[in-house]
Amino acid sequence: MDDVKRNNEENLSMDEIFESMDDFSMRRGSTKEAEVYSIQPDGLLVLFDGKLDGFVPESELVHPLGKYGIGDKIKVTILKVNEEEGRSTASEIRVYRKEALKEVESKFRKNEPVKGRIISKVSSGYEVKLLNVVDAFLPGSHSGLKLDDEIPEETLDFKVINFRRSKRGAPRIVVSLKELKDLRIKSFLDSIKEGYVVTGVVESLKKFGAFVKLTNDVTGLIPASEVSWDSSVRIEKVLKPGDKVEAKVIGIDKENQKISLSLKQLRKDPWQDIEERFPVGSVHKGKVKSIVPFGFFVAIEDGIEGLVHISEVFWGNARKKLQEVVKVGDEVLVKVKEINKEKRTLSLSYREALGDPWDNIESKYPVGKVVEGKVAKLLPTGVIVELEEYVSGFVPLSEISWNFVDKVEDVVKEGDTVSALIVSVDRENRRMRLSLKKATEDPWKKVSEDLSVGDYVSGEIVRTIKSGAIVLVDGYEIEAFLPVSQVSDKKVENIDETVEVGQKHQFKIIRLVYDPENDTRNMVVSIRQYLKDLEKKEAEEAMKELSSDDNPTLSLGDKIKEQLKNSENAPSE
């Protein structure tokens, strides 16, 4: 029926509409129910008892114009009546304000929240509209807002903390956001206990932890140490703003309204049964996490990290740097040496996980075996040869070469691959004695078979020393000693003035010793004796020629004189 009336009146002209109002009278101050007939730019046209008779200006509406629809029912108060035009002006807000004021007072008495919005910022606080129509004041200290915070646009719950009526004007109403917030926070904190699991959204990340929003009023903190059992895991690798997370409540400070949370405690503590899962003596694979001057740390599981002390890295007195053995990120085998569950520390061994190479050293490197190795270090007293990692042997100076060794570097250099004979093995003290020269055939054996004292040999001066020179004997690759006294018939003060390195000479062997049982081998040679023998031989040959001369009447002395005379008269070349 209402729709029919409305449709009929929509077809009326404005004159006909005003005529229809002539017989209808309105009283100022009366309260009527009205129906929205038309939405105008500056207010609403409304129907009273089905007849068009009123206008509600926008300033007298409870809600913005956009909130109203045609057909909506509202209560209004008649402000004035224009009898000439047959039209009245009405106000919705004045009816609603009375009711809203009663509701606000009731909420104050009952200590209940009331809806409202912050309208603007004023001195020392904010202007608030409760239920859209009741003016109230929000002190800054009760707002919970910072000076540079933006004013919230949404409808909020306020607590009325003061309601004082005035005889002459509107009542003075003071509200608080903070008290309600404190009540909500208290209620939330009272509803949880340590050990509870709560859900929230990550608001922000800091170096010290993550802030998680649990309610609109309550934010908890997950300390960085409570993100993972693995202390090396960085918080940003696990969480990011906006993530929804579950966390365990590990601390509640009601006085300061703070909650501490933990992610890692939702999972089993890996140290809880550490002794059962990683017993002392067991070997496990792990990852090198960091290298420090005194060793390196290895993670064998998330949250389980132990130290390999430098004393547990090498077998023997290795002089390598830790960085030459492992690098961060390497997967390595380690053996559990010690567990301290209370301090959450593990002592690990890298070397024992690899195994002690000296355990079966005698079977792997028996005495008399010739092996290959790498020259690791040159010393004034000999050479260190590495046979494998952590297994090295010492070659004394006397065992480097069958020949005399003045400087080790003249024979071998660091990094050279050499063959060596194992002379002795001391497993208990981790020592091995090697011989480079005995890994090859003894050249002195052939010398002793082929040569004797008095024999002549040729050779090259390879170096000089204060007391003589060293000669490399041709065909045998052994070194003989040429004393300075055996260089010439004349007295030699400085051998370098008589012979030069690289010169080839003939020599006479004046001493030869080959005593392998006492490890004695040497040869002494002489240029002087060789030259004497040569002169003697030449003299004997000359005498032999003279004695066979065709003039038998001359004595041997006369023949020599004649020969000398002939040589003097012979033309010089």
Side-chain angles (χ1 to χ4, degrees), residues 1-68:
M1 210 40 207
D2 290 340
D3 290 338
V4 173
K5 287 181 180 179
R6 189 181 299 114
N7 289 335
N8 289 335
E9 291 182 1
E10 283 177 355
N11 295 323
L12 297 175
S13 66
M14 288 303 294
D15 289 339
E16 290 172 326
I17 290 171
F18 288 131
E19 282 179 10
S20 69
M21 295 194 242
D22 287 344
D23 297 331
F24 188 80
S25 62
M26 303 293 292
R27 247 181 344 142
R28 183 182 175 189
S30 61
T31 298
K32 305 285 290 181
E33 186 178 80
E35 179 183 346
V36 177
Y37 170 76
S38 175
I39 300 173
Q40 302 296 312
D42 57 348
L44 302 177
L45 287 176
V46 295
L47 297 172
F48 293 111
D49 299 325
K51 294 187 177 182
L52 183 62
D53 192 48
F55 177 72
V56 184
E58 185 176 10
S59 61
E60 294 295 329
L61 292 171
V62 173
H63 306 289
L65 268 175
K67 294 287 185 180
Y68 296 88

Side-chain angles (χ1 to χ4, degrees), residues 224-241:
S225 60
E226 291 295 326
V227 172
S228 171
W229 290 111
D230 185 350
S231 59
S232 66
V233 173
R234 294 192 299 177
I235 193 169
E236 60 269 22
K237 295 293 184 181
V238 179
L239 300 171
K240 62 180 182 293

Side-chain angles (χ1 to χ4, degrees), residues 430-441:
R430 297 176 179 271
R431 292 177 182 172
M432 188 182 294
R433 189 180 179 91
L434 305 174
S435 173
L436 296 185
K437 70 180 186 183
K438 289 176 183 173
T440 60
E441 187 178 353

Side-chain angles (χ1 to χ4, degrees), residues 29-34 48 60-62 74-79 90-102 133-134:
S30 61
T31 298
K32 305 285 290 181
E33 186 178 80
F48 293 111
E60 294 295 329
L61 292 171
V62 173
I74 60 175
K75 280 187 178 182
V76 297
T77 293
I78 306 301
L79 299 179
S91 168
E92 180 192 23
I93 201 169
R94 300 193 188 194
V95 175
Y96 187 74
R97 183 182 288 120
K98 290 179 182 178
E99 295 178 359
L101 199 57
K102 288 179 182 179
V133 294
V134 177

Side-chain angles (χ1 to χ4, degrees), residues 20 59 70 87 105 138 157 172 178 182 206 211 249 281 332 342 356 381 387 442 449 458 477 508 540:
S20 69
S59 61
I70 293 173
R87 182 176 181 181
E105 186 174 13
L138 172 65
D157 281 335
R172 173 175 171 77
K178 184 176 180 299
D182 289 344
K206 305 294 181 185
F211 287 103
V249 178
V332 295
E342 289 69 33
D356 187 351
T381 56
L387 303 184
D442 186 352
E449 293 171 351
S458 62
E477 295 302 314
K508 181 179 181 179
E540 287 176 352

Side-chain angles (χ1 to χ4, degrees), residues 539-551:
E540 287 176 352
E541 288 177 355
M543 292 293 290
K544 207 179 277 186
E545 287 179 7
L546 288 173
S547 61
S548 62
D549 196 300
D550 292 338
N551 190 352

